[in-house]
Amino acid sequence: MAHFDDTLLGDMNARSREVFRQIVDAYVETGEPIGSRSIARRMSENLSAATIRNVMSDLEEMGLLVAPHISAGRLPSEKGLRLFVNALMEVGDLPNAERDQLTKNCEQAGYSLDQMLGEATSMLSGLSRCAGLVVAPKTDGIRLKQIEFVALSPGKVLAVLVSQNGSVENRILDVPVDLPASALTEAANYLNTRLAGKTLDDARVLITQERDRLKQELDELSATLIDAGLATWAGGIKGSSLIVKGQSQLLENIDTIEQLETVRRLFNVLEARDQMIELLDVTTDAQGVQIFIGSENKLFGGSGLSMVISPYQNAEGSIVGAIGVVGPTRINYARIIPLVDYTAKLVGRLIG
């Protein structure tokens, strides 16, 4: 996340700060350039349009405003938005109603970690009117909690593997049609006794080392079931996964071709999932909410996009993922920052 130049703030008097604040507020509301006459009507202080034009000219020279067209009003630049976010913005608390709504929906989302993260992302998208996204915990080094095998039909068994971080992995296995129910129980008991609390890598090594003794202790069908169940789960491990919800939020209130082009570029960015995961992984190096505005990140360069993101922790206090929103640079930072912050802490608590 970029930092602003302290000298810029020192060069602004109370009048220029208020004019600048009004320009940013108008930009967040409309996304359109604003002129001196419109600013004059918004100001509590009685200033002439000419005076405001002079202030706007000074702000433009400082690099805080830009003029998209010769005769148009002014917009805050990325530099200006960064100064506003870091030094002038007032961030309030998340309303209790939204806290309760987020908590209730996430707690009721289901036992699966992916279900809970999906619901949290959808809620975040809806409340922020941006695209919500989350990086699910990496599966490297996760520890097993419980393993069960459930008969579905002749020749089909569901393997359910639950990790200590709350993730649930379900896989359907092909087994002999005459597999008895006792083999399912034996296989689950064997694994739960020996593998609970171990990582998946540890479990694979242990099973490989004990393969011969396993075949002596259990019948061949149970041994085959254990091998198949463990191998199937291990085969599904792919590291971090990215969940994106609410792209349709970004299509609302599209008034111009320029806005539509911005959203099109956003969709292209979201489709680059590997790059997005790398970007979100940056948040694991820092605590709290991180804000990326426009070209501050190379992935967003020239796209007119911003991202507000926060890491979340597991019960051991380790950062295991990140959750946040991405949208046009005119997102309502003052509202979205506490929303993202609370959601990340909620996800961490539910994982714990």
Side-chain angles (χ1 to χ4, degrees):
M1 185 176 68
H3 298 281
F4 69 96
D5 185 352
D6 290 329
T7 60
L8 285 176
L9 194 62
D11 292 340
M12 299 171 67
N13 57 27
R15 174 178 294 175
S16 60
R17 292 184 189 189
E18 181 59 25
V19 169
F20 180 64
R21 187 191 303 275
Q22 293 295 340
I23 293 173
V24 174
D25 287 345
Y27 176 61
V28 169
E29 292 171 12
T30 68
E32 298 294 330
I34 187 168
S36 56
R37 293 184 182 278
S38 297
I39 291 295
R41 289 193 291 268
R42 297 173 64 102
M43 295 279 292
S44 56
E45 184 181 357
N46 187 18
L47 297 177
S48 67
T51 299
I52 293 176
R53 277 196 298 273
N54 290 334
V55 173
M56 293 172 70
S57 178
D58 292 340
L59 293 172
E60 189 172 1
E61 287 185 8
M62 296 168 66
L64 302 179
L65 299 182
V66 294
H69 307 290
I70 294 177
S71 60
R74 299 296 183 267
L75 294 173
S77 63
E78 289 182 5
K79 182 179 178 180
L81 287 173
R82 170 55 60 192
L83 177 106
F84 176 78
V85 167
N86 284 33
L88 299 176
M89 181 177 65
E90 297 179 1
V91 178
D93 292 330
L94 190 66
N96 289 333
E98 294 185 358
R99 288 173 179 257
D100 295 342
Q101 186 181 4
L102 275 164
T103 302
K104 178 181 177 181
N105 285 31
C106 291
E107 287 179 342
Q108 295 178 349
Y111 186 68
S112 165
L113 177 64
D114 284 346
Q115 286 179 299
M116 187 271 288
L117 290 175
E119 180 61 30
T121 310
S122 295
M123 290 285 297
L124 192 55
S125 170
L127 292 172
S128 67
R129 304 187 72 80
C130 295
L133 48 109
V134 63
V135 173
K138 292 182 178 180
T139 50
D140 298 336
I142 62 171
R143 296 187 179 276
L144 303 175
K145 179 180 180 181
Q146 186 177 3
I147 301 172
E148 298 294 338
F149 297 103
V150 181
L152 298 178
S153 61
K156 298 288 183 183
V157 167
L158 177 68
V160 183
L161 298 100
V162 183
S163 72
Q164 289 185 342
N165 72 2
S167 61
V168 179
E169 189 81 10
N170 298 318
R171 289 289 186 270
I172 296 178
L173 312 179
D174 292 319
V175 298
V177 293
D178 58 348
L179 183 72
S182 59
L184 301 180
T185 303
E186 285 183 275
N189 289 341
Y190 179 90
L191 289 173
N192 286 324
T193 300
R194 289 164 174 78
L195 303 183
K198 290 184 171 58
T199 67
L200 190 61
D201 286 338
D202 291 341
R204 279 199 298 266
V205 171
L206 180 61
I207 290 297
T208 300
Q209 292 174 343
E210 293 196 347
R211 185 167 312 221
D212 293 337
R213 187 162 63 86
L214 171 63
K215 292 180 179 179
Q216 294 175 1
E217 289 186 9
L218 302 173
D219 62 43
E220 186 70 22
L221 289 177
S222 297
T224 300
L225 186 64
I226 289 175
D227 273 346
L230 193 63
T232 300
W233 197 39
I237 298 305
K238 298 180 181 179
S240 296
S241 60
L242 179 68
I243 301 171
V244 181
K245 297 288 183 70
Q247 292 98 318
S248 60
Q249 295 279 356
L250 302 168
L251 294 174
E252 297 181 4
N253 302 318
I254 297 294
D255 299 323
T256 67
I257 296 297
E258 288 81 2
Q259 290 174 335
L260 187 60
E261 178 64 16
T262 294
V263 173
R264 186 192 66 78
R265 288 194 296 266
L266 170 58
F267 287 165
N268 289 338
V269 169
L270 293 178
E271 287 173 3
R273 291 186 173 236
D274 290 342
Q275 295 179 19
M276 284 299 299
I277 288 175
E278 291 178 7
L279 172 59
L280 300 187
D281 278 347
V282 172
T283 65
T284 62
D285 297 329
Q287 297 287 336
V289 177
Q290 302 292 300
I291 304 162
F292 300 90
I293 300 175
S295 58
E296 290 178 355
N297 187 278
K298 62 182 180 180
L299 185 59
F300 291 168
S303 63
L305 305 174
S306 288
M307 181 170 72
V308 180
I309 194 85
S310 180
Y312 58 87
Q313 301 176 338
N314 60 15
E316 288 75 37
S318 300
I319 293 176
V320 294
I323 188 167
V325 302
V326 60
T329 53
R330 71 179 187 92
I331 59 177
N332 190 336
Y333 297 93
R335 167 173 163 72
I336 289 175
I337 289 171
L339 180 60
V340 168
D341 182 52
Y342 180 79
T343 305
K345 290 176 180 175
L346 172 63
V347 168
R349 179 171 64 81
L350 292 178
I351 288 177

Coordinates of all heavy atoms in Angstrom, one line a residue, residues 79-159:
K79 N -3.2 10.1 -6.7 CA -2.4 10.7 -5.6 C -3.3 11.5 -4.7 O -3.1 11.4 -3.4 CB -1.4 11.7 -6.3 CG -0.5 12.4 -5.3 CD 0.4 13.3 -6.1 CE 1.4 14.1 -5.2 NZ 2.3 15.0 -6.0
G80 N -4.4 12.1 -5.2 CA -5.3 12.8 -4.3 C -6.1 11.9 -3.5 O -6.4 12.1 -2.3
L81 N -6.6 10.8 -4.1 CA -7.3 9.8 -3.4 C -6.5 9.2 -2.2 O -7.0 8.9 -1.1 CB -7.9 8.7 -4.3 CG -9.0 9.1 -5.2 CD1 -9.3 8.0 -6.2 CD2 -10.3 9.4 -4.4
R82 N -5.2 8.9 -2.5 CA -4.4 8.4 -1.5 C -4.2 9.4 -0.3 O -4.3 9.0 0.9 CB -3.0 8.1 -2.1 CG -1.9 7.7 -1.1 CD -2.3 6.6 -0.2 NE -2.6 5.4 -0.9 CZ -3.2 4.3 -0.4 NH1 -3.6 4.3 0.9 NH2 -3.5 3.2 -1.1
L83 N -4.0 10.7 -0.6 CA -4.0 11.6 0.5 C -5.2 11.7 1.3 O -5.2 11.8 2.5 CB -3.7 13.0 -0.1 CG -3.6 14.1 0.9 CD1 -2.2 14.6 1.2 CD2 -4.5 15.3 0.5
F84 N -6.4 11.7 0.6 CA -7.7 11.7 1.2 C -7.8 10.5 2.2 O -8.2 10.6 3.3 CB -8.8 11.7 0.2 CG -10.2 11.7 0.8 CD1 -10.7 12.8 1.4 CD2 -10.9 10.5 0.8 CE1 -12.0 12.7 1.9 CE2 -12.2 10.4 1.4 CZ -12.7 11.5 1.9
V85 N -7.5 9.3 1.7 CA -7.7 8.1 2.4 C -6.8 8.1 3.7 O -7.2 7.7 4.8 CB -7.5 6.8 1.6 CG1 -7.4 5.6 2.4 CG2 -8.6 6.7 0.6
N86 N -5.6 8.5 3.5 CA -4.6 8.4 4.6 C -4.7 9.5 5.6 O -4.3 9.3 6.7 CB -3.2 8.4 4.0 CG -2.8 7.0 3.4 OD1 -3.7 6.3 2.8 ND2 -1.6 6.6 3.5
A87 N -5.2 10.7 5.2 CA -5.1 11.9 6.1 C -6.4 12.6 6.3 O -6.5 13.2 7.4 CB -4.0 12.8 5.5
L88 N -7.3 12.6 5.4 CA -8.5 13.4 5.6 C -9.8 12.7 5.8 O -10.8 13.2 6.3 CB -8.7 14.3 4.4 CG -7.5 15.3 4.1 CD1 -7.7 16.0 2.8 CD2 -7.3 16.2 5.2
M89 N -9.8 11.4 5.5 CA -11.1 10.6 5.6 C -11.4 10.3 7.1 O -10.5 10.0 7.9 CB -10.9 9.3 4.8 CG -12.1 8.5 4.8 SD -11.9 7.0 3.7 CE -10.6 6.2 4.7
E90 N -12.7 10.4 7.4 CA -13.2 10.0 8.7 C -13.9 8.7 8.6 O -14.9 8.5 7.9 CB -14.1 11.1 9.2 CG -13.5 12.4 9.5 CD -14.5 13.5 10.0 OE1 -15.7 13.1 10.2 OE2 -14.1 14.6 10.2
V91 N -13.3 7.6 9.2 CA -13.9 6.3 9.2 C -14.7 6.0 10.4 O -14.2 6.1 11.5 CB -12.8 5.2 9.0 CG1 -13.3 3.8 9.0 CG2 -11.9 5.5 7.8
G92 N -16.0 5.7 10.2 CA -16.8 5.4 11.3 C -16.9 3.9 11.6 O -16.2 3.1 11.0
D93 N -17.8 3.6 12.6 CA -18.0 2.2 12.9 C -19.0 1.6 12.0 O -19.9 2.3 11.4 CB -18.5 2.0 14.4 CG -17.4 2.4 15.4 OD1 -16.2 2.2 15.0 OD2 -17.7 2.9 16.4
L94 N -19.0 0.3 11.8 CA -20.0 -0.5 11.0 C -21.3 -0.5 11.8 O -21.3 -0.8 13.0 CB -19.5 -1.9 10.7 CG -20.3 -2.7 9.7 CD1 -20.2 -2.1 8.3 CD2 -19.8 -4.1 9.7
P95 N -22.4 -0.1 11.2 CA -23.7 -0.1 11.9 C -24.0 -1.5 12.5 O -23.7 -2.6 11.9 CB -24.7 0.2 10.8 CG -23.9 1.0 9.7 CD -22.5 0.4 9.8
N96 N -24.6 -1.5 13.6 CA -24.9 -2.8 14.3 C -25.8 -3.7 13.5 O -25.6 -4.9 13.5 CB -25.6 -2.5 15.6 CG -24.7 -1.9 16.7 OD1 -23.5 -2.1 16.6 ND2 -25.2 -1.1 17.6
A97 N -26.7 -3.1 12.7 CA -27.6 -4.0 11.8 C -26.8 -4.8 10.8 O -27.1 -5.9 10.6 CB -28.6 -3.1 11.2
E98 N -25.8 -4.1 10.2 CA -24.9 -4.8 9.3 C -24.0 -5.8 9.9 O -23.8 -6.9 9.4 CB -24.1 -3.8 8.4 CG -25.0 -2.9 7.6 CD -24.2 -2.0 6.7 OE1 -22.9 -2.0 6.8 OE2 -24.8 -1.2 5.9
R99 N -23.5 -5.5 11.1 CA -22.7 -6.5 11.9 C -23.6 -7.8 12.1 O -23.1 -8.9 11.9 CB -22.3 -5.9 13.2 CG -21.2 -4.9 13.1 CD -21.0 -4.2 14.5 NE -19.9 -3.2 14.4 CZ -18.7 -3.4 14.9 NH1 -18.4 -4.6 15.4 NH2 -17.8 -2.5 14.8
D100 N -24.8 -7.5 12.6 CA -25.7 -8.7 13.0 C -26.0 -9.5 11.7 O -26.1 -10.7 11.8 CB -27.0 -8.2 13.6 CG -26.7 -7.5 15.0 OD1 -25.6 -7.8 15.5 OD2 -27.6 -6.8 15.4
Q101 N -26.3 -8.8 10.6 CA -26.6 -9.5 9.4 C -25.4 -10.4 8.9 O -25.6 -11.5 8.5 CB -27.0 -8.5 8.3 CG -27.5 -9.1 7.0 CD -27.9 -8.1 5.9 OE1 -27.7 -6.9 6.2 NE2 -28.4 -8.5 4.8
L102 N -24.2 -9.8 8.9 CA -23.1 -10.6 8.5 C -22.8 -11.8 9.4 O -22.6 -12.9 8.9 CB -21.8 -9.7 8.5 CG -21.5 -8.8 7.3 CD1 -20.5 -7.7 7.7 CD2 -21.0 -9.6 6.2
T103 N -22.9 -11.5 10.7 CA -22.6 -12.6 11.6 C -23.7 -13.7 11.5 O -23.3 -14.9 11.4 CB -22.7 -12.1 13.1 OG1 -21.7 -11.1 13.2 CG2 -22.4 -13.2 14.1
K104 N -24.9 -13.4 11.4 CA -26.0 -14.4 11.3 C -25.9 -15.2 10.1 O -25.9 -16.5 10.1 CB -27.4 -13.7 11.3 CG -28.5 -14.6 11.2 CD -29.9 -13.9 11.2 CE -31.0 -14.8 11.0 NZ -32.3 -14.1 11.0
N105 N -25.7 -14.6 8.9 CA -25.6 -15.3 7.6 C -24.4 -16.2 7.6 O -24.5 -17.3 7.1 CB -25.6 -14.3 6.5 CG -27.0 -13.7 6.2 OD1 -27.8 -13.6 7.1 ND2 -27.3 -13.4 5.0
C106 N -23.3 -15.7 8.1 CA -22.0 -16.5 8.0 C -22.1 -17.7 9.0 O -21.6 -18.8 8.6 CB -20.8 -15.7 8.3 SG -20.4 -14.5 7.0
E107 N -22.7 -17.5 10.1 CA -22.8 -18.6 11.1 C -23.7 -19.7 10.6 O -23.6 -20.9 10.9 CB -23.3 -18.1 12.4 CG -22.2 -17.3 13.2 CD -22.7 -16.7 14.5 OE1 -24.0 -16.7 14.7 OE2 -21.9 -16.4 15.4
Q108 N -24.7 -19.3 9.8 CA -25.7 -20.3 9.3 C -25.4 -20.8 7.9 O -26.1 -21.6 7.4 CB -27.1 -19.6 9.3 CG -27.6 -19.2 10.6 CD -29.0 -18.5 10.5 OE1 -29.4 -18.2 9.5 NE2 -29.6 -18.4 11.7
A109 N -24.2 -20.5 7.4 CA -23.9 -20.8 6.0 C -23.6 -22.3 5.8 O -23.7 -22.9 4.7 CB -22.6 -20.1 5.5
G110 N -23.3 -23.1 6.9 CA -23.0 -24.5 6.8 C -21.7 -24.8 7.4 O -20.9 -24.0 7.8
Y111 N -21.5 -26.1 7.5 CA -20.3 -26.6 8.2 C -19.0 -26.4 7.3 O -17.9 -26.2 7.8 CB -20.4 -28.1 8.5 CG -19.3 -28.6 9.3 CD1 -19.1 -28.2 10.6 CD2 -18.4 -29.6 8.8 CE1 -18.1 -28.7 11.4 CE2 -17.4 -30.1 9.5 CZ -17.2 -29.7 10.9 OH -16.2 -30.1 11.6
S112 N -19.2 -26.4 6.0 CA -18.0 -26.3 5.1 C -17.4 -24.9 5.2 O -18.1 -23.9 5.2 CB -18.4 -26.6 3.7 OG -17.4 -26.2 2.8
L113 N -16.1 -24.9 5.3 CA -15.4 -23.6 5.3 C -15.7 -22.9 4.0 O -15.8 -21.6 4.0 CB -13.9 -23.9 5.4 CG -13.0 -22.6 5.4 CD1 -13.3 -21.7 6.5 CD2 -11.5 -23.0 5.4
D114 N -15.7 -23.6 2.8 CA -15.9 -22.9 1.6 C -17.3 -22.3 1.6 O -17.5 -21.2 1.0 CB -15.8 -23.9 0.4 CG -14.4 -24.2 0.1 OD1 -13.5 -23.5 0.6 OD2 -14.1 -25.2 -0.6
Q115 N -18.3 -22.9 2.2 CA -19.7 -22.4 2.2 C -19.7 -21.1 3.0 O -20.3 -20.1 2.6 CB -20.6 -23.4 2.9 CG -21.0 -24.5 2.0 CD -21.9 -25.5 2.7 OE1 -21.6 -26.1 3.7 NE2 -23.1 -25.7 2.1
M116 N -19.0 -21.1 4.2 CA -18.9 -19.9 5.0 C -18.2 -18.8 4.3 O -18.7 -17.6 4.3 CB -18.3 -20.2 6.3 CG -18.3 -19.1 7.4 SD -16.9 -18.0 7.2 CE -15.6 -19.0 7.9
L117 N -17.1 -19.1 3.7 CA -16.4 -18.0 3.0 C -17.2 -17.5 1.8 O -17.1 -16.3 1.5 CB -15.0 -18.6 2.5 CG -14.0 -18.9 3.6 CD1 -12.7 -19.5 2.9 CD2 -13.6 -17.6 4.3
G118 N -17.9 -18.4 1.1 CA -18.7 -17.9 0.0 C -19.8 -17.0 0.4 O -20.1 -16.0 -0.2
E119 N -20.4 -17.3 1.6 CA -21.5 -16.4 2.1 C -20.9 -15.1 2.6 O -21.5 -14.1 2.3 CB -22.2 -17.1 3.3 CG -23.3 -16.3 3.9 CD -24.4 -16.0 3.0 OE1 -24.7 -16.8 2.0 OE2 -25.1 -15.0 3.1
A120 N -19.7 -15.1 3.2 CA -19.1 -13.9 3.7 C -18.8 -13.0 2.5 O -19.0 -11.8 2.5 CB -17.8 -14.2 4.5
T121 N -18.3 -13.6 1.4 CA -17.9 -12.9 0.2 C -19.2 -12.3 -0.5 O -19.2 -11.1 -0.9 CB -17.2 -13.8 -0.8 OG1 -16.1 -14.4 -0.1 CG2 -16.6 -12.9 -1.9
S122 N -20.2 -13.0 -0.5 CA -21.5 -12.5 -1.1 C -22.1 -11.4 -0.3 O -22.5 -10.4 -0.8 CB -22.5 -13.7 -1.2 OG -22.1 -14.7 -2.1
M123 N -22.0 -11.5 1.0 CA -22.5 -10.5 1.9 C -21.7 -9.2 1.7 O -22.2 -8.1 1.6 CB -22.5 -10.9 3.3 CG -23.5 -12.0 3.7 SD -25.2 -11.3 3.8 CE -25.0 -10.2 5.2
L124 N -20.4 -9.4 1.7 CA -19.5 -8.2 1.5 C -19.8 -7.5 0.2 O -19.8 -6.3 0.2 CB -18.1 -8.7 1.6 CG -16.9 -7.7 1.8 CD1 -17.2 -6.8 3.0 CD2 -15.6 -8.4 1.9
S125 N -20.0 -8.3 -0.8 CA -20.3 -7.7 -2.1 C -21.6 -6.9 -2.1 O -21.7 -5.8 -2.6 CB -20.4 -8.8 -3.2 OG -20.9 -8.3 -4.4
G126 N -22.6 -7.5 -1.5 CA -23.9 -6.8 -1.5 C -23.9 -5.6 -0.7 O -24.5 -4.5 -1.1
L127 N -23.2 -5.6 0.5 CA -23.2 -4.4 1.3 C -22.3 -3.3 0.8 O -22.5 -2.1 1.0 CB -22.7 -4.8 2.8 CG -23.7 -5.7 3.5 CD1 -23.1 -6.1 4.8 CD2 -25.0 -4.9 3.8
S128 N -21.2 -3.7 0.1 CA -20.3 -2.7 -0.5 C -20.6 -2.2 -1.9 O -20.1 -1.2 -2.4 CB -18.9 -3.2 -0.5 OG -18.8 -4.3 -1.4
R129 N -21.5 -3.0 -2.6 CA -21.9 -2.8 -4.0 C -20.6 -2.8 -4.9 O -20.5 -2.1 -5.8 CB -22.6 -1.5 -4.2 CG -23.9 -1.4 -3.3 CD -24.7 -0.1 -3.6 NE -25.3 -0.3 -4.9 CZ -26.5 -1.0 -5.1 NH1 -27.0 -1.6 -4.1 NH2 -27.0 -1.0 -6.3
C130 N -19.7 -3.7 -4.5 CA -18.5 -4.0 -5.3 C -18.4 -5.5 -5.5 O -19.3 -6.2 -5.1 CB -17.2 -3.5 -4.5 SG -17.1 -1.8 -4.2
A131 N -17.4 -5.9 -6.2 CA -17.1 -7.4 -6.3 C -16.4 -7.8 -5.0 O -15.4 -7.2 -4.6 CB -16.3 -7.7 -7.5
G132 N -16.9 -8.8 -4.4 CA -16.3 -9.4 -3.2 C -15.4 -10.5 -3.6 O -15.7 -11.3 -4.5
L133 N -14.2 -10.6 -2.9 CA -13.3 -11.7 -3.2 C -12.6 -12.2 -1.9 O -12.4 -11.4 -1.0 CB -12.3 -11.3 -4.3 CG -11.6 -10.0 -4.1 CD1 -10.1 -10.3 -3.7 CD2 -11.7 -9.2 -5.4
V134 N -12.2 -13.5 -1.9 CA -11.6 -14.0 -0.7 C -10.6 -15.1 -1.2 O -10.9 -15.8 -2.2 CB -12.6 -14.6 0.3 CG1 -13.4 -15.8 -0.3 CG2 -11.9 -15.1 1.5
V135 N -9.5 -15.2 -0.6 CA -8.5 -16.3 -0.8 C -8.8 -17.2 0.4 O -8.6 -16.9 1.5 CB -7.1 -15.8 -0.8 CG1 -6.1 -17.0 -0.8 CG2 -6.8 -14.9 -2.0
A136 N -9.2 -18.5 0.0 CA -9.4 -19.5 1.0 C -8.1 -19.9 1.6 O -7.0 -19.8 0.9 CB -10.2 -20.7 0.4
P137 N -8.0 -20.5 2.8 CA -6.8 -20.9 3.4 C -6.0 -21.9 2.5 O -6.6 -22.8 1.9 CB -7.2 -21.6 4.7 CG -8.5 -20.9 5.0 CD -9.2 -20.7 3.7
K138 N -4.7 -21.8 2.5 CA -3.9 -22.7 1.8 C -4.0 -24.1 2.5 O -4.1 -24.2 3.7 CB -2.4 -22.3 1.8 CG -2.2 -21.1 1.0 CD -0.7 -20.7 1.0 CE -0.4 -19.5 0.1 NZ 1.0 -19.2 0.1
T139 N -4.0 -25.1 1.7 CA -4.2 -26.5 2.2 C -2.9 -27.1 2.6 O -2.9 -28.2 3.2 CB -4.9 -27.4 1.2 OG1 -4.3 -27.2 -0.1 CG2 -6.4 -26.9 1.0
D140 N -1.8 -26.5 2.3 CA -0.5 -27.0 2.7 C -0.4 -27.0 4.2 O -0.5 -26.0 4.8 CB 0.7 -26.2 2.1 CG 0.7 -26.2 0.6 OD1 0.1 -27.1 0.0 OD2 1.2 -25.2 0.0
G141 N -0.1 -28.2 4.7 CA 0.2 -28.2 6.2 C -1.1 -28.3 7.0 O -1.0 -28.2 8.3
I142 N -2.3 -28.4 6.5 CA -3.5 -28.5 7.3 C -3.5 -29.8 8.1 O -2.9 -30.8 7.6 CB -4.8 -28.4 6.4 CG1 -4.9 -29.5 5.4 CG2 -4.9 -27.1 5.7 CD1 -6.2 -29.6 4.7
R143 N -4.1 -29.7 9.2 CA -4.1 -30.9 10.1 C -5.5 -31.6 10.1 O -6.5 -30.9 10.1 CB -3.7 -30.5 11.5 CG -2.3 -30.0 11.6 CD -1.8 -29.8 13.0 NE -0.4 -29.4 12.9 CZ 0.7 -30.2 12.9 NH1 0.5 -31.5 12.8 NH2 1.9 -29.7 12.8
L144 N -5.5 -32.9 10.1 CA -6.8 -33.6 10.0 C -7.5 -33.6 11.3 O -6.8 -33.7 12.4 CB -6.5 -35.0 9.5 CG -5.8 -35.2 8.2 CD1 -5.5 -36.7 7.9 CD2 -6.6 -34.6 7.1
K145 N -8.8 -33.6 11.3 CA -9.6 -33.7 12.5 C -10.4 -35.0 12.6 O -10.4 -35.7 13.6 CB -10.5 -32.5 12.6 CG -11.4 -32.5 13.9 CD -12.3 -31.2 13.9 CE -13.2 -31.2 15.1 NZ -14.1 -30.1 15.2
Q146 N -11.0 -35.3 11.4 CA -11.9 -36.4 11.4 C -12.1 -36.9 10.0 O -12.1 -36.1 9.0 CB -13.3 -36.1 12.0 CG -14.2 -37.3 12.2 CD -15.5 -36.9 12.8 OE1 -15.7 -35.7 13.1 NE2 -16.4 -37.8 13.1
I147 N -12.2 -38.2 9.8 CA -12.5 -38.8 8.5 C -13.6 -39.8 8.6 O -13.7 -40.6 9.6 CB -11.2 -39.6 8.0 CG1 -10.0 -38.6 7.9 CG2 -11.4 -40.3 6.7 CD1 -8.7 -39.3 7.7
E148 N -14.5 -39.8 7.7 CA -15.7 -40.7 7.7 C -15.9 -41.2 6.3 O -15.6 -40.5 5.3 CB -16.9 -40.0 8.2 CG -16.9 -39.5 9.6 CD -16.8 -40.6 10.7 OE1 -17.1 -41.8 10.3 OE2 -16.3 -40.4 11.8
F149 N -16.4 -42.4 6.2 CA -16.8 -43.0 4.9 C -18.3 -43.3 5.0 O -18.8 -43.9 5.9 CB -16.0 -44.2 4.6 CG -14.5 -44.0 4.4 CD1 -13.7 -44.3 5.5 CD2 -14.0 -43.4 3.3 CE1 -12.3 -44.1 5.3 CE2 -12.7 -43.2 3.1 CZ -11.8 -43.5 4.2
V150 N -19.1 -42.8 4.0 CA -20.5 -43.0 4.0 C -20.9 -43.7 2.7 O -20.6 -43.3 1.6 CB -21.2 -41.6 4.0 CG1 -22.7 -41.8 4.0 CG2 -20.8 -40.8 5.2
A151 N -21.6 -44.8 2.8 CA -22.1 -45.6 1.7 C -23.2 -44.8 0.9 O -24.2 -44.4 1.6 CB -22.6 -47.0 2.1
L152 N -23.0 -44.6 -0.4 CA -24.0 -43.9 -1.2 C -24.9 -44.9 -1.9 O -26.1 -44.8 -2.0 CB -23.3 -43.0 -2.1 CG -22.5 -41.8 -1.5 CD1 -21.8 -41.0 -2.6 CD2 -23.4 -41.0 -0.6
S153 N -24.3 -45.8 -2.6 CA -25.0 -46.8 -3.4 C -24.0 -48.0 -3.7 O -22.8 -47.8 -3.4 CB -25.4 -46.2 -4.7 OG -24.3 -45.8 -5.5
P154 N -24.4 -49.1 -4.2 CA -23.4 -50.2 -4.5 C -22.3 -49.7 -5.4 O -22.6 -49.1 -6.5 CB -24.3 -51.2 -5.2 CG -25.7 -51.0 -4.6 CD -25.8 -49.5 -4.4
G155 N -21.1 -49.8 -4.9 CA -19.9 -49.4 -5.7 C -19.5 -47.9 -5.5 O -18.6 -47.5 -6.1
K156 N -20.3 -47.1 -4.7 CA -20.0 -45.7 -4.5 C -19.9 -45.4 -3.0 O -20.9 -45.7 -2.2 CB -21.0 -44.8 -5.1 CG -21.1 -45.0 -6.6 CD -19.9 -44.4 -7.3 CE -20.0 -44.5 -8.9 NZ -18.8 -43.9 -9.6
V157 N -18.8 -44.7 -2.5 CA -18.7 -44.3 -1.2 C -18.3 -42.9 -1.1 O -17.4 -42.4 -1.9 CB -17.6 -45.2 -0.4 CG1 -17.2 -44.6 0.9 CG2 -18.2 -46.6 -0.2
L158 N -18.8 -42.1 -0.2 CA -18.4 -40.7 0.0 C -17.4 -40.7 1.1 O -17.6 -41.1 2.3 CB -19.7 -39.9 0.4 CG -19.4 -38.4 0.7 CD1 -19.0 -37.7 -0.6 CD2 -20.6 -37.7 1.3
A159 N -16.2 -40.1 0.8 CA -15.2 -39.9 1.8 C -15.3 -38.4 2.3 O -15.3 -37.5 1.5 CB -13.8 -40.1 1.2

